[in-house]
Amino acid sequence: GEDVEQSLFLSVREGDSSVINCTYTDSSSTYLYWYKQEPGAGLQLLTYIFSNMDMKQDQRLTVLLNKKDKHLSLRIADTQTGDSAIYFCAESPPTGDSSYKLIFGSGTRLLVRP
Amino acid sequence: DAGITQSPRHKVTETGTPVTLRCHQTENHRYMYWYRQDPGHGLRLIHYSYGVKDTDKGEVSDGYSVSRSKTEDFLLTLESATSSQTSVYFCAISEETSGNTYEQYFGPGTRLTVT
């Protein structure tokens, strides 16, 4: 079956870089995603990467994709206290239609210490 | 903001009662999804819809049914609620206006407690 795995917790100091890691299982997933969830809120789409790319940068966010190892990472540069949240990795296995049924990891809680 | 609202935002109900959760969107998106979020499991897909009256099952569909009689509304029904259905339920849509159906945006969630 499909299973996306993430470490449960990461603590960093404000101003440092954070790296959140994820492994996924379906090598045919077309897109891989990172979502952010703040307490009591819904999920916010942070960024995503197409499976034929190795890297995507968007301001303070850098996504690295290693298809051979099915490993995805999210690097947050200059981490701020407002980045404290739960971060979810998700993959999108092919479905045969135009829908995208995301498979989520269980989330990594990022704590940014002042 | 993808114009998604969910109602109610919080509900407490008793075991065995029917419950319907509503997801409403204002931007004519074709694809709508229902997920549940539980500690240690992330989000899991319950059902999804690819158009009016067109729905299909997700990973954890047992005990749930859905209906979509209008583009803007996607209803999730628990015919007879059980304590294992205590969860936070999220609706999502796929952004399609720019052809990007792979971008999913989520509503604020409904916290359901079954006692």
Side-chain angles (χ1 to χ4, degrees), chain A residues 31 33 35 37 42 48 88 98 100-102 105, chain B residues 31 33 35 37 42 45 48 90 101-104:
Chain A
Y31 292 93
Y33 304 81
Y35 282 86
Q37 186 179 36
Y48 58 88
F88 291 94
S98 298
Y100 283 82
K101 290 175 276 190
L102 303 187
Chain B
Y31 295 94
Y33 307 80
Y35 292 85
Q37 182 179 26
L45 181 66
Y48 71 101
F90 287 99
T101 58
Y102 45 82
E103 294 180 7
Q104 279 194 26

mmCIF file with all atom_site columns, all heavy atoms in Angstrom, chain A residues 31 33 35 37 42 48 88 98 100-102 105, chain B residues 31 33 35 37 42 45 48 90 101-104:
data_model
loop_
_atom_site.group_PDB
_atom_site.id
_atom_site.type_symbol
_atom_site.label_atom_id
_atom_site.label_alt_id
_atom_site.label_comp_id
_atom_site.label_asym_id
_atom_site.label_entity_id
_atom_site.label_seq_id
_atom_site.pdbx_PDB_ins_code
_atom_site.Cartn_x
_atom_site.Cartn_y
_atom_site.Cartn_z
_atom_site.occupancy
_atom_site.B_iso_or_equiv
_atom_site.pdbx_formal_charge
_atom_site.auth_seq_id
_atom_site.auth_comp_id
_atom_site.auth_asym_id
_atom_site.auth_atom_id
_atom_site.pdbx_PDB_model_num
ATOM 1   N N   . TYR A 1 31  ? 3.105   14.589 -8.874  1.00 0.00 ? 31  TYR A N   1
ATOM 2   C CA  . TYR A 1 31  ? 3.452   15.780 -8.117  1.00 0.00 ? 31  TYR A CA  1
ATOM 3   C C   . TYR A 1 31  ? 3.663   15.396 -6.662  1.00 0.00 ? 31  TYR A C   1
ATOM 4   O O   . TYR A 1 31  ? 3.035   14.455 -6.153  1.00 0.00 ? 31  TYR A O   1
ATOM 5   C CB  . TYR A 1 31  ? 2.339   16.828 -8.187  1.00 0.00 ? 31  TYR A CB  1
ATOM 6   C CG  . TYR A 1 31  ? 2.163   17.426 -9.563  1.00 0.00 ? 31  TYR A CG  1
ATOM 7   C CD1 . TYR A 1 31  ? 1.239   16.887 -10.443 1.00 0.00 ? 31  TYR A CD1 1
ATOM 8   C CD2 . TYR A 1 31  ? 2.939   18.497 -9.975  1.00 0.00 ? 31  TYR A CD2 1
ATOM 9   C CE1 . TYR A 1 31  ? 1.088   17.411 -11.713 1.00 0.00 ? 31  TYR A CE1 1
ATOM 10  C CE2 . TYR A 1 31  ? 2.790   19.035 -11.242 1.00 0.00 ? 31  TYR A CE2 1
ATOM 11  C CZ  . TYR A 1 31  ? 1.867   18.481 -12.103 1.00 0.00 ? 31  TYR A CZ  1
ATOM 12  O OH  . TYR A 1 31  ? 1.715   19.016 -13.358 1.00 0.00 ? 31  TYR A OH  1
ATOM 13  N N   . TYR A 1 33  ? 3.968   17.378 -2.777  1.00 0.00 ? 33  TYR A N   1
ATOM 14  C CA  . TYR A 1 33  ? 3.492   18.626 -2.194  1.00 0.00 ? 33  TYR A CA  1
ATOM 15  C C   . TYR A 1 33  ? 4.010   18.813 -0.773  1.00 0.00 ? 33  TYR A C   1
ATOM 16  O O   . TYR A 1 33  ? 4.276   17.853 -0.049  1.00 0.00 ? 33  TYR A O   1
ATOM 17  C CB  . TYR A 1 33  ? 1.954   18.610 -2.101  1.00 0.00 ? 33  TYR A CB  1
ATOM 18  C CG  . TYR A 1 33  ? 1.236   18.356 -3.390  1.00 0.00 ? 33  TYR A CG  1
ATOM 19  C CD1 . TYR A 1 33  ? 1.085   17.060 -3.882  1.00 0.00 ? 33  TYR A CD1 1
ATOM 20  C CD2 . TYR A 1 33  ? 0.666   19.397 -4.099  1.00 0.00 ? 33  TYR A CD2 1
ATOM 21  C CE1 . TYR A 1 33  ? 0.402   16.814 -5.058  1.00 0.00 ? 33  TYR A CE1 1
ATOM 22  C CE2 . TYR A 1 33  ? -0.028  19.167 -5.281  1.00 0.00 ? 33  TYR A CE2 1
ATOM 23  C CZ  . TYR A 1 33  ? -0.154  17.877 -5.748  1.00 0.00 ? 33  TYR A CZ  1
ATOM 24  O OH  . TYR A 1 33  ? -0.845  17.644 -6.918  1.00 0.00 ? 33  TYR A OH  1
ATOM 25  N N   . TYR A 1 35  ? 2.469   21.017 2.511   1.00 0.00 ? 35  TYR A N   1
ATOM 26  C CA  . TYR A 1 35  ? 1.415   21.826 3.097   1.00 0.00 ? 35  TYR A CA  1
ATOM 27  C C   . TYR A 1 35  ? 1.825   22.229 4.501   1.00 0.00 ? 35  TYR A C   1
ATOM 28  O O   . TYR A 1 35  ? 2.559   21.513 5.186   1.00 0.00 ? 35  TYR A O   1
ATOM 29  C CB  . TYR A 1 35  ? 0.098   21.041 3.200   1.00 0.00 ? 35  TYR A CB  1
ATOM 30  C CG  . TYR A 1 35  ? -0.666  20.923 1.904   1.00 0.00 ? 35  TYR A CG  1
ATOM 31  C CD1 . TYR A 1 35  ? -0.390  19.900 1.003   1.00 0.00 ? 35  TYR A CD1 1
ATOM 32  C CD2 . TYR A 1 35  ? -1.679  21.823 1.593   1.00 0.00 ? 35  TYR A CD2 1
ATOM 33  C CE1 . TYR A 1 35  ? -1.108  19.790 -0.185  1.00 0.00 ? 35  TYR A CE1 1
ATOM 34  C CE2 . TYR A 1 35  ? -2.402  21.720 0.409   1.00 0.00 ? 35  TYR A CE2 1
ATOM 35  C CZ  . TYR A 1 35  ? -2.104  20.708 -0.466  1.00 0.00 ? 35  TYR A CZ  1
ATOM 36  O OH  . TYR A 1 35  ? -2.814  20.597 -1.641  1.00 0.00 ? 35  TYR A OH  1
ATOM 37  N N   . GLN A 1 37  ? 0.170   23.566 8.264   1.00 0.00 ? 37  GLN A N   1
ATOM 38  C CA  . GLN A 1 37  ? -1.043  23.693 9.063   1.00 0.00 ? 37  GLN A CA  1
ATOM 39  C C   . GLN A 1 37  ? -0.723  24.366 10.393  1.00 0.00 ? 37  GLN A C   1
ATOM 40  O O   . GLN A 1 37  ? 0.054   23.835 11.189  1.00 0.00 ? 37  GLN A O   1
ATOM 41  C CB  . GLN A 1 37  ? -1.692  22.324 9.319   1.00 0.00 ? 37  GLN A CB  1
ATOM 42  C CG  . GLN A 1 37  ? -3.034  22.437 10.035  1.00 0.00 ? 37  GLN A CG  1
ATOM 43  C CD  . GLN A 1 37  ? -3.682  21.088 10.274  1.00 0.00 ? 37  GLN A CD  1
ATOM 44  O OE1 . GLN A 1 37  ? -3.012  20.092 10.539  1.00 0.00 ? 37  GLN A OE1 1
ATOM 45  N NE2 . GLN A 1 37  ? -5.009  21.041 10.185  1.00 0.00 ? 37  GLN A NE2 1
ATOM 46  N N   . GLY A 1 42  ? -6.950  25.168 8.613   1.00 0.00 ? 42  GLY A N   1
ATOM 47  C CA  . GLY A 1 42  ? -6.869  24.202 7.530   1.00 0.00 ? 42  GLY A CA  1
ATOM 48  C C   . GLY A 1 42  ? -5.458  24.108 6.994   1.00 0.00 ? 42  GLY A C   1
ATOM 49  O O   . GLY A 1 42  ? -4.518  24.667 7.553   1.00 0.00 ? 42  GLY A O   1
ATOM 50  N N   . TYR A 1 48  ? 4.895   22.829 -4.397  1.00 0.00 ? 48  TYR A N   1
ATOM 51  C CA  . TYR A 1 48  ? 4.864   21.474 -4.912  1.00 0.00 ? 48  TYR A CA  1
ATOM 52  C C   . TYR A 1 48  ? 5.928   21.366 -5.988  1.00 0.00 ? 48  TYR A C   1
ATOM 53  O O   . TYR A 1 48  ? 6.424   22.372 -6.509  1.00 0.00 ? 48  TYR A O   1
ATOM 54  C CB  . TYR A 1 48  ? 3.485   21.116 -5.464  1.00 0.00 ? 48  TYR A CB  1
ATOM 55  C CG  . TYR A 1 48  ? 3.010   22.037 -6.556  1.00 0.00 ? 48  TYR A CG  1
ATOM 56  C CD1 . TYR A 1 48  ? 3.322   21.801 -7.892  1.00 0.00 ? 48  TYR A CD1 1
ATOM 57  C CD2 . TYR A 1 48  ? 2.247   23.158 -6.245  1.00 0.00 ? 48  TYR A CD2 1
ATOM 58  C CE1 . TYR A 1 48  ? 2.885   22.662 -8.879  1.00 0.00 ? 48  TYR A CE1 1
ATOM 59  C CE2 . TYR A 1 48  ? 1.813   24.017 -7.231  1.00 0.00 ? 48  TYR A CE2 1
ATOM 60  C CZ  . TYR A 1 48  ? 2.130   23.766 -8.549  1.00 0.00 ? 48  TYR A CZ  1
ATOM 61  O OH  . TYR A 1 48  ? 1.706   24.619 -9.533  1.00 0.00 ? 48  TYR A OH  1
ATOM 62  N N   . PHE A 1 88  ? 3.095   18.999 6.263   1.00 0.00 ? 88  PHE A N   1
ATOM 63  C CA  . PHE A 1 88  ? 2.693   17.722 5.676   1.00 0.00 ? 88  PHE A CA  1
ATOM 64  C C   . PHE A 1 88  ? 3.282   17.576 4.284   1.00 0.00 ? 88  PHE A C   1
ATOM 65  O O   . PHE A 1 88  ? 3.189   18.486 3.453   1.00 0.00 ? 88  PHE A O   1
ATOM 66  C CB  . PHE A 1 88  ? 1.167   17.627 5.568   1.00 0.00 ? 88  PHE A CB  1
ATOM 67  C CG  . PHE A 1 88  ? 0.462   17.513 6.881   1.00 0.00 ? 88  PHE A CG  1
ATOM 68  C CD1 . PHE A 1 88  ? -0.022  18.639 7.516   1.00 0.00 ? 88  PHE A CD1 1
ATOM 69  C CD2 . PHE A 1 88  ? 0.280   16.272 7.477   1.00 0.00 ? 88  PHE A CD2 1
ATOM 70  C CE1 . PHE A 1 88  ? -0.680  18.543 8.737   1.00 0.00 ? 88  PHE A CE1 1
ATOM 71  C CE2 . PHE A 1 88  ? -0.382  16.160 8.688   1.00 0.00 ? 88  PHE A CE2 1
ATOM 72  C CZ  . PHE A 1 88  ? -0.856  17.298 9.324   1.00 0.00 ? 88  PHE A CZ  1
ATOM 73  N N   . SER A 1 98  ? -8.566  12.901 -14.194 1.00 0.00 ? 98  SER A N   1
ATOM 74  C CA  . SER A 1 98  ? -7.889  14.171 -13.908 1.00 0.00 ? 98  SER A CA  1
ATOM 75  C C   . SER A 1 98  ? -7.934  14.550 -12.435 1.00 0.00 ? 98  SER A C   1
ATOM 76  O O   . SER A 1 98  ? -7.528  15.643 -12.068 1.00 0.00 ? 98  SER A O   1
ATOM 77  C CB  . SER A 1 98  ? -8.528  15.299 -14.724 1.00 0.00 ? 98  SER A CB  1
ATOM 78  O OG  . SER A 1 98  ? -8.380  15.046 -16.092 1.00 0.00 ? 98  SER A OG  1
ATOM 79  N N   . TYR A 1 100 ? -6.810  14.329 -8.456  1.00 0.00 ? 100 TYR A N   1
ATOM 80  C CA  . TYR A 1 100 ? -5.558  14.118 -7.755  1.00 0.00 ? 100 TYR A CA  1
ATOM 81  C C   . TYR A 1 100 ? -5.893  13.744 -6.324  1.00 0.00 ? 100 TYR A C   1
ATOM 82  O O   . TYR A 1 100 ? -6.270  14.578 -5.526  1.00 0.00 ? 100 TYR A O   1
ATOM 83  C CB  . TYR A 1 100 ? -4.675  15.370 -7.816  1.00 0.00 ? 100 TYR A CB  1
ATOM 84  C CG  . TYR A 1 100 ? -4.010  15.513 -9.154  1.00 0.00 ? 100 TYR A CG  1
ATOM 85  C CD1 . TYR A 1 100 ? -4.690  16.067 -10.226 1.00 0.00 ? 100 TYR A CD1 1
ATOM 86  C CD2 . TYR A 1 100 ? -2.717  15.055 -9.354  1.00 0.00 ? 100 TYR A CD2 1
ATOM 87  C CE1 . TYR A 1 100 ? -4.089  16.171 -11.465 1.00 0.00 ? 100 TYR A CE1 1
ATOM 88  C CE2 . TYR A 1 100 ? -2.098  15.160 -10.593 1.00 0.00 ? 100 TYR A CE2 1
ATOM 89  C CZ  . TYR A 1 100 ? -2.793  15.716 -11.639 1.00 0.00 ? 100 TYR A CZ  1
ATOM 90  O OH  . TYR A 1 100 ? -2.206  15.820 -12.864 1.00 0.00 ? 100 TYR A OH  1
ATOM 91  N N   . LYS A 1 101 ? -5.776  12.463 -6.022  1.00 0.00 ? 101 LYS A N   1
ATOM 92  C CA  . LYS A 1 101 ? -6.097  11.965 -4.694  1.00 0.00 ? 101 LYS A CA  1
ATOM 93  C C   . LYS A 1 101 ? -4.806  11.910 -3.897  1.00 0.00 ? 101 LYS A C   1
ATOM 94  O O   . LYS A 1 101 ? -3.995  11.021 -4.071  1.00 0.00 ? 101 LYS A O   1
ATOM 95  C CB  . LYS A 1 101 ? -6.760  10.598 -4.798  1.00 0.00 ? 101 LYS A CB  1
ATOM 96  C CG  . LYS A 1 101 ? -8.163  10.687 -5.396  1.00 0.00 ? 101 LYS A CG  1
ATOM 97  C CD  . LYS A 1 101 ? -8.781  9.333  -5.622  1.00 0.00 ? 101 LYS A CD  1
ATOM 98  C CE  . LYS A 1 101 ? -8.334  8.743  -6.937  1.00 0.00 ? 101 LYS A CE  1
ATOM 99  N NZ  . LYS A 1 101 ? -9.095  7.532  -7.313  1.00 0.00 ? 101 LYS A NZ  1
ATOM 100 N N   . LEU A 1 102 ? -4.644  12.868 -3.024  1.00 0.00 ? 102 LEU A N   1
ATOM 101 C CA  . LEU A 1 102 ? -3.377  13.007 -2.319  1.00 0.00 ? 102 LEU A CA  1
ATOM 102 C C   . LEU A 1 102 ? -3.246  11.991 -1.197  1.00 0.00 ? 102 LEU A C   1
ATOM 103 O O   . LEU A 1 102 ? -4.197  11.689 -0.481  1.00 0.00 ? 102 LEU A O   1
ATOM 104 C CB  . LEU A 1 102 ? -3.249  14.419 -1.748  1.00 0.00 ? 102 LEU A CB  1
ATOM 105 C CG  . LEU A 1 102 ? -3.347  15.568 -2.762  1.00 0.00 ? 102 LEU A CG  1
ATOM 106 C CD1 . LEU A 1 102 ? -3.024  16.890 -2.096  1.00 0.00 ? 102 LEU A CD1 1
ATOM 107 C CD2 . LEU A 1 102 ? -2.432  15.320 -3.940  1.00 0.00 ? 102 LEU A CD2 1
ATOM 108 N N   . GLY A 1 105 ? 1.575   12.283 4.468   1.00 0.00 ? 105 GLY A N   1
ATOM 109 C CA  . GLY A 1 105 ? 2.300   11.806 5.629   1.00 0.00 ? 105 GLY A CA  1
ATOM 110 C C   . GLY A 1 105 ? 1.588   12.256 6.893   1.00 0.00 ? 105 GLY A C   1
ATOM 111 O O   . GLY A 1 105 ? 0.608   13.003 6.837   1.00 0.00 ? 105 GLY A O   1
ATOM 112 N N   . TYR B 2 31  ? -13.540 19.687 -9.285  1.00 0.00 ? 31  TYR B N   1
ATOM 113 C CA  . TYR B 2 31  ? -13.143 18.602 -8.393  1.00 0.00 ? 31  TYR B CA  1
ATOM 114 C C   . TYR B 2 31  ? -13.277 19.026 -6.940  1.00 0.00 ? 31  TYR B C   1
ATOM 115 O O   . TYR B 2 31  ? -12.776 20.084 -6.546  1.00 0.00 ? 31  TYR B O   1
ATOM 116 C CB  . TYR B 2 31  ? -11.692 18.179 -8.667  1.00 0.00 ? 31  TYR B CB  1
ATOM 117 C CG  . TYR B 2 31  ? -11.493 17.582 -10.026 1.00 0.00 ? 31  TYR B CG  1
ATOM 118 C CD1 . TYR B 2 31  ? -11.087 18.363 -11.101 1.00 0.00 ? 31  TYR B CD1 1
ATOM 119 C CD2 . TYR B 2 31  ? -11.735 16.227 -10.234 1.00 0.00 ? 31  TYR B CD2 1
ATOM 120 C CE1 . TYR B 2 31  ? -10.927 17.814 -12.357 1.00 0.00 ? 31  TYR B CE1 1
ATOM 121 C CE2 . TYR B 2 31  ? -11.565 15.675 -11.498 1.00 0.00 ? 31  TYR B CE2 1
ATOM 122 C CZ  . TYR B 2 31  ? -11.165 16.469 -12.544 1.00 0.00 ? 31  TYR B CZ  1
ATOM 123 O OH  . TYR B 2 31  ? -11.014 15.930 -13.791 1.00 0.00 ? 31  TYR B OH  1
ATOM 124 N N   . TYR B 2 33  ? -13.183 17.284 -2.767  1.00 0.00 ? 33  TYR B N   1
ATOM 125 C CA  . TYR B 2 33  ? -12.679 16.138 -2.012  1.00 0.00 ? 33  TYR B CA  1
ATOM 126 C C   . TYR B 2 33  ? -13.081 16.276 -0.549  1.00 0.00 ? 33  TYR B C   1
ATOM 127 O O   . TYR B 2 33  ? -13.140 17.378 -0.010  1.00 0.00 ? 33  TYR B O   1
ATOM 128 C CB  . TYR B 2 33  ? -11.140 16.081 -2.075  1.00 0.00 ? 33  TYR B CB  1
ATOM 129 C CG  . TYR B 2 33  ? -10.549 16.115 -3.468  1.00 0.00 ? 33  TYR B CG  1
ATOM 130 C CD1 . TYR B 2 33  ? -10.419 17.320 -4.157  1.00 0.00 ? 33  TYR B CD1 1
ATOM 131 C CD2 . TYR B 2 33  ? -10.102 14.949 -4.093  1.00 0.00 ? 33  TYR B CD2 1
ATOM 132 C CE1 . TYR B 2 33  ? -9.864  17.359 -5.437  1.00 0.00 ? 33  TYR B CE1 1
ATOM 133 C CE2 . TYR B 2 33  ? -9.542  14.987 -5.359  1.00 0.00 ? 33  TYR B CE2 1
ATOM 134 C CZ  . TYR B 2 33  ? -9.426  16.189 -6.023  1.00 0.00 ? 33  TYR B CZ  1
ATOM 135 O OH  . TYR B 2 33  ? -8.879  16.227 -7.290  1.00 0.00 ? 33  TYR B OH  1
ATOM 136 N N   . TYR B 2 35  ? -11.644 14.819 3.137   1.00 0.00 ? 35  TYR B N   1
ATOM 137 C CA  . TYR B 2 35  ? -10.607 14.114 3.884   1.00 0.00 ? 35  TYR B CA  1
ATOM 138 C C   . TYR B 2 35  ? -10.972 14.136 5.371   1.00 0.00 ? 35  TYR B C   1
ATOM 139 O O   . TYR B 2 35  ? -11.677 15.016 5.834   1.00 0.00 ? 35  TYR B O   1
ATOM 140 C CB  . TYR B 2 35  ? -9.250  14.827 3.751   1.00 0.00 ? 35  TYR B CB  1
ATOM 141 C CG  . TYR B 2 35  ? -8.624  14.798 2.380   1.00 0.00 ? 35  TYR B CG  1
ATOM 142 C CD1 . TYR B 2 35  ? -8.965  15.751 1.413   1.00 0.00 ? 35  TYR B CD1 1
ATOM 143 C CD2 . TYR B 2 35  ? -7.650  13.851 2.052   1.00 0.00 ? 35  TYR B CD2 1
ATOM 144 C CE1 . TYR B 2 35  ? -8.368  15.746 0.167   1.00 0.00 ? 35  TYR B CE1 1
ATOM 145 C CE2 . TYR B 2 35  ? -7.049  13.840 0.796   1.00 0.00 ? 35  TYR B CE2 1
ATOM 146 C CZ  . TYR B 2 35  ? -7.409  14.786 -0.130  1.00 0.00 ? 35  TYR B CZ  1
ATOM 147 O OH  . TYR B 2 35  ? -6.815  14.777 -1.370  1.00 0.00 ? 35  TYR B OH  1
ATOM 148 N N   . GLN B 2 37  ? -8.878  14.004 9.210   1.00 0.00 ? 37  GLN B N   1
ATOM 149 C CA  . GLN B 2 37  ? -7.559  14.135 9.828   1.00 0.00 ? 37  GLN B CA  1
ATOM 150 C C   . GLN B 2 37  ? -7.602  13.588 11.238  1.00 0.00 ? 37  GLN B C   1
ATOM 151 O O   . GLN B 2 37  ? -8.401  14.033 12.068  1.00 0.00 ? 37  GLN B O   1
ATOM 152 C CB  . GLN B 2 37  ? -7.101  15.595 9.872   1.00 0.00 ? 37  GLN B CB  1
ATOM 153 C CG  . GLN B 2 37  ? -5.701  15.747 10.463  1.00 0.00 ? 37  GLN B CG  1
ATOM 154 C CD  . GLN B 2 37  ? -5.220  17.175 10.485  1.00 0.00 ? 37  GLN B CD  1
ATOM 155 O OE1 . GLN B 2 37  ? -5.992  18.123 10.530  1.00 0.00 ? 37  GLN B OE1 1
ATOM 156 N NE2 . GLN B 2 37  ? -3.908  17.351 10.422  1.00 0.00 ? 37  GLN B NE2 1
ATOM 157 N N   . GLY B 2 42  ? -2.167  11.786 9.554   1.00 0.00 ? 42  GLY B N   1
ATOM 158 C CA  . GLY B 2 42  ? -2.240  12.814 8.524   1.00 0.00 ? 42  GLY B CA  1
ATOM 159 C C   . GLY B 2 42  ? -3.671  12.934 8.035   1.00 0.00 ? 42  GLY B C   1
ATOM 160 O O   . GLY B 2 42  ? -4.625  12.745 8.786   1.00 0.00 ? 42  GLY B O   1
ATOM 161 N N   . LEU B 2 45  ? -8.197  10.374 2.401   1.00 0.00 ? 45  LEU B N   1
ATOM 162 C CA  . LEU B 2 45  ? -9.300  10.701 1.502   1.00 0.00 ? 45  LEU B CA  1
ATOM 163 C C   . LEU B 2 45  ? -10.498 9.798  1.763   1.00 0.00 ? 45  LEU B C   1
ATOM 164 O O   . LEU B 2 45  ? -10.371 8.569  1.799   1.00 0.00 ? 45  LEU B O   1
ATOM 165 C CB  . LEU B 2 45  ? -8.834  10.558 0.050   1.00 0.00 ? 45  LEU B CB  1
ATOM 166 C CG  . LEU B 2 45  ? -9.859  10.893 -1.022  1.00 0.00 ? 45  LEU B CG  1
ATOM 167 C CD1 . LEU B 2 45  ? -10.204 12.381 -0.989  1.00 0.00 ? 45  LEU B CD1 1
ATOM 168 C CD2 . LEU B 2 45  ? -9.327  10.507 -2.397  1.00 0.00 ? 45  LEU B CD2 1
ATOM 169 N N   . TYR B 2 48  ? -14.453 11.631 -3.241  1.00 0.00 ? 48  TYR B N   1
ATOM 170 C CA  . TYR B 2 48  ? -14.221 12.806 -4.048  1.00 0.00 ? 48  TYR B CA  1
ATOM 171 C C   . TYR B 2 48  ? -15.263 12.885 -5.161  1.00 0.00 ? 48  TYR B C   1
ATOM 172 O O   . TYR B 2 48  ? -15.983 11.913 -5.423  1.00 0.00 ? 48  TYR B O   1
ATOM 173 C CB  . TYR B 2 48  ? -12.799 12.822 -4.617  1.00 0.00 ? 48  TYR B CB  1
ATOM 174 C CG  . TYR B 2 48  ? -12.526 11.802 -5.690  1.00 0.00 ? 48  TYR B CG  1
ATOM 175 C CD1 . TYR B 2 48  ? -12.510 12.156 -7.032  1.00 0.00 ? 48  TYR B CD1 1
ATOM 176 C CD2 . TYR B 2 48  ? -12.258 10.476 -5.358  1.00 0.00 ? 48  TYR B CD2 1
ATOM 177 C CE1 . TYR B 2 48  ? -12.245 11.224 -8.016  1.00 0.00 ? 48  TYR B CE1 1
ATOM 178 C CE2 . TYR B 2 48  ? -11.993 9.532  -6.334  1.00 0.00 ? 48  TYR B CE2 1
ATOM 179 C CZ  . TYR B 2 48  ? -11.981 9.913  -7.657  1.00 0.00 ? 48  TYR B CZ  1
ATOM 180 O OH  . TYR B 2 48  ? -11.722 8.972  -8.632  1.00 0.00 ? 48  TYR B OH  1
ATOM 181 N N   . PHE B 2 90  ? -11.963 17.758 6.488   1.00 0.00 ? 90  PHE B N   1
ATOM 182 C CA  . PHE B 2 90  ? -11.577 18.839 5.597   1.00 0.00 ? 90  PHE B CA  1
ATOM 183 C C   . PHE B 2 90  ? -12.111 18.587 4.195   1.00 0.00 ? 90  PHE B C   1
ATOM 184 O O   . PHE B 2 90  ? -12.023 17.473 3.664   1.00 0.00 ? 90  PHE B O   1
ATOM 185 C CB  . PHE B 2 90  ? -10.053 18.969 5.520   1.00 0.00 ? 90  PHE B CB  1
ATOM 186 C CG  . PHE B 2 90  ? -9.430  19.540 6.750   1.00 0.00 ? 90  PHE B CG  1
ATOM 187 C CD1 . PHE B 2 90  ? -8.854  18.720 7.702   1.00 0.00 ? 90  PHE B CD1 1
ATOM 188 C CD2 . PHE B 2 90  ? -9.426  20.910 6.954   1.00 0.00 ? 90  PHE B CD2 1
ATOM 189 C CE1 . PHE B 2 90  ? -8.274  19.248 8.848   1.00 0.00 ? 90  PHE B CE1 1
ATOM 190 C CE2 . PHE B 2 90  ? -8.846  21.454 8.096   1.00 0.00 ? 90  PHE B CE2 1
ATOM 191 C CZ  . PHE B 2 90  ? -8.275  20.619 9.037   1.00 0.00 ? 90  PHE B CZ  1
ATOM 192 N N   . THR B 2 101 ? -5.168  21.451 -12.259 1.00 0.00 ? 101 THR B N   1
ATOM 193 C CA  . THR B 2 101 ? -6.041  20.659 -11.405 1.00 0.00 ? 101 THR B CA  1
ATOM 194 C C   . THR B 2 101 ? -5.265  19.955 -10.309 1.00 0.00 ? 101 THR B C   1
ATOM 195 O O   . THR B 2 101 ? -5.845  19.375 -9.422  1.00 0.00 ? 101 THR B O   1
ATOM 196 C CB  . THR B 2 101 ? -6.808  19.605 -12.221 1.00 0.00 ? 101 THR B CB  1
ATOM 197 O OG1 . THR B 2 101 ? -5.876  18.764 -12.891 1.00 0.00 ? 101 THR B OG1 1
ATOM 198 C CG2 . THR B 2 101 ? -7.723  20.254 -13.226 1.00 0.00 ? 101 THR B CG2 1
ATOM 199 N N   . TYR B 2 102 ? -3.924  20.005 -10.353 1.00 0.00 ? 102 TYR B N   1
ATOM 200 C CA  . TYR B 2 102 ? -3.150  19.326 -9.331  1.00 0.00 ? 102 TYR B CA  1
ATOM 201 C C   . TYR B 2 102 ? -2.958  20.161 -8.075  1.00 0.00 ? 102 TYR B C   1
ATOM 202 O O   . TYR B 2 102 ? -2.409  19.693 -7.110  1.00 0.00 ? 102 TYR B O   1
ATOM 203 C CB  . TYR B 2 102 ? -1.797  18.899 -9.884  1.00 0.00 ? 102 TYR B CB  1
ATOM 204 C CG  . TYR B 2 102 ? -1.098  19.970 -10.689 1.00 0.00 ? 102 TYR B CG  1
ATOM 205 C CD1 . TYR B 2 102 ? -0.377  20.964 -10.065 1.00 0.00 ? 102 TYR B CD1 1
ATOM 206 C CD2 . TYR B 2 102 ? -1.174  19.976 -12.066 1.00 0.00 ? 102 TYR B CD2 1
ATOM 207 C CE1 . TYR B 2 102 ? 0.257   21.947 -10.793 1.00 0.00 ? 102 TYR B CE1 1
ATOM 208 C CE2 . TYR B 2 102 ? -0.536  20.954 -12.813 1.00 0.00 ? 102 TYR B CE2 1
ATOM 209 C CZ  . TYR B 2 102 ? 0.181   21.939 -12.166 1.00 0.00 ? 102 TYR B CZ  1
ATOM 210 O OH  . TYR B 2 102 ? 0.799   22.900 -12.889 1.00 0.00 ? 102 TYR B OH  1
ATOM 211 N N   . GLU B 2 103 ? -3.368  21.418 -8.079  1.00 0.00 ? 103 GLU B N   1
ATOM 212 C CA  . GLU B 2 103 ? -3.256  22.241 -6.877  1.00 0.00 ? 103 GLU B CA  1
ATOM 213 C C   . GLU B 2 103 ? -4.534  22.081 -6.069  1.00 0.00 ? 103 GLU B C   1
ATOM 214 O O   . GLU B 2 103 ? -5.601  22.464 -6.509  1.00 0.00 ? 103 GLU B O   1
ATOM 215 C CB  . GLU B 2 103 ? -3.052  23.707 -7.248  1.00 0.00 ? 103 GLU B CB  1
ATOM 216 C CG  . GLU B 2 103 ? -1.740  23.970 -7.933  1.00 0.00 ? 103 GLU B CG  1
ATOM 217 C CD  . GLU B 2 103 ? -1.549  25.435 -8.287  1.00 0.00 ? 103 GLU B CD  1
ATOM 218 O OE1 . GLU B 2 103 ? -2.386  26.259 -7.886  1.00 0.00 ? 103 GLU B OE1 1
ATOM 219 O OE2 . GLU B 2 103 ? -0.569  25.744 -8.975  1.00 0.00 ? 103 GLU B OE2 1
ATOM 220 N N   . GLN B 2 104 ? -4.414  21.502 -4.880  1.00 0.00 ? 104 GLN B N   1
ATOM 221 C CA  . GLN B 2 104 ? -5.573  21.337 -4.013  1.00 0.00 ? 104 GLN B CA  1
ATOM 222 C C   . GLN B 2 104 ? -5.536  22.363 -2.894  1.00 0.00 ? 104 GLN B C   1
ATOM 223 O O   . GLN B 2 104 ? -4.508  22.548 -2.243  1.00 0.00 ? 104 GLN B O   1
ATOM 224 C CB  . GLN B 2 104 ? -5.615  19.924 -3.414  1.00 0.00 ? 104 GLN B CB  1
ATOM 225 C CG  . GLN B 2 104 ? -6.186  18.913 -4.363  1.00 0.00 ? 104 GLN B CG  1
ATOM 226 C CD  . GLN B 2 104 ? -6.541  17.600 -3.712  1.00 0.00 ? 104 GLN B CD  1
ATOM 227 O OE1 . GLN B 2 104 ? -6.817  17.517 -2.507  1.00 0.00 ? 104 GLN B OE1 1
ATOM 228 N NE2 . GLN B 2 104 ? -6.535  16.558 -4.514  1.00 0.00 ? 104 GLN B NE2 1
#
